[in-house]
Structure formats: structure tokens, C-alpha cells
Amino acid sequence: MSVLDPLFSYLTVLSVIQPGRVQDVERFAPDILPQGTAEELIETGAFREAHYFARVHGHISPVRRGTFFLTAKGREVVRRDGLHKELDNLRLFLMKGQRGKYK
């Protein structure tokens, strides 16, 4: 089994749903991350620790009270090795699904 990187996982989910809160990341993580990964990170509180680390080190920036967006530094962590295409596709399908709810 591979070692989980909570910061990478947190930033990956946030890059798909942004802008978002920590609660939003925890809610959408099971849909975006591999099975079992999200549950483990939520149960151990690793997402909340990764959120704090990302905020302190400039990976995310607040846009409203409690709502955050990735900075350029945060995007560099996530968008590598062709992963950006998959993330953009996930974001597109998420937006299409949400748009259907508002009609």
C-alpha cells in the first residue's frame, strides 16, 4: 500500500471544486479520490491538518470567510505529469452535474 500525501490529496480535491471550504473538500473527496483514500484522510483529520499547512505556506488563498482558492504555488503541487487534464475533466463533469440541479 502506498503512503498517502494529505496535502496533495487536499489540493487535488480543492482544484476540482474550488472555491471551497474544508467541509466541501471532505464531502467531495470520495467522488474524486480513489476508494478508501478519502475515508481514511477524513477519519484521521488529515484534511484539516493539510488545510492548515496549505494556508500557512501559501498554497491556498481566502476568497470569502472560510472559502479558499488555490494559489499559483498550490496549482504547481497538483498540476503535473498530465494530471491537469484529468482534473479539468472532473471539474467539467462536476459543473455539468451541478448545472442540471438548477434547471
Side-chain angles (χ1 to χ4, degrees):
M1 181 169 190
S2 63
V3 177
L4 300 175
D5 181 6
L7 178 64
F8 179 76
S9 299
Y10 172 80
L11 294 175
T12 299
V13 175
L14 185 61
S15 72
V16 173
I17 67 166
Q18 66 182 335
R21 303 171 300 151
V22 178
Q23 297 88 345
D24 297 331
V25 170
E26 292 174 340
R27 190 173 95 219
F28 285 103
D31 298 333
I32 298 170
L33 297 177
Q35 186 132 12
T37 303
E39 290 82 13
E40 183 178 336
L41 291 171
I42 293 168
E43 289 173 5
T44 61
F47 273 141
R48 300 203 179 238
E49 291 176 19
H51 169 76
Y52 177 76
F53 182 87
R55 190 171 184 186
V56 169
H57 290 89
H59 294 292
I60 58 176
S61 175
V63 290
R64 288 188 301 266
R65 183 179 171 100
T67 305
F68 296 88
F69 205 84
L70 285 180
T71 62
K73 186 176 180 181
R75 280 190 303 274
E76 287 177 14
V77 173
V78 180
R79 297 187 173 265
R80 55 182 165 176
D81 299 331
L83 184 61
H84 65 281
K85 294 176 186 175
E86 289 183 43
L87 294 175
D88 289 341
N89 285 338
L90 284 170
R91 184 167 173 79
L92 179 67
F93 287 116
L94 178 67
M95 289 174 19
K96 283 183 177 181
Q98 289 175 341
R99 186 175 31 188
K101 293 178 185 178
Y102 296 115
K103 286 186 176 184

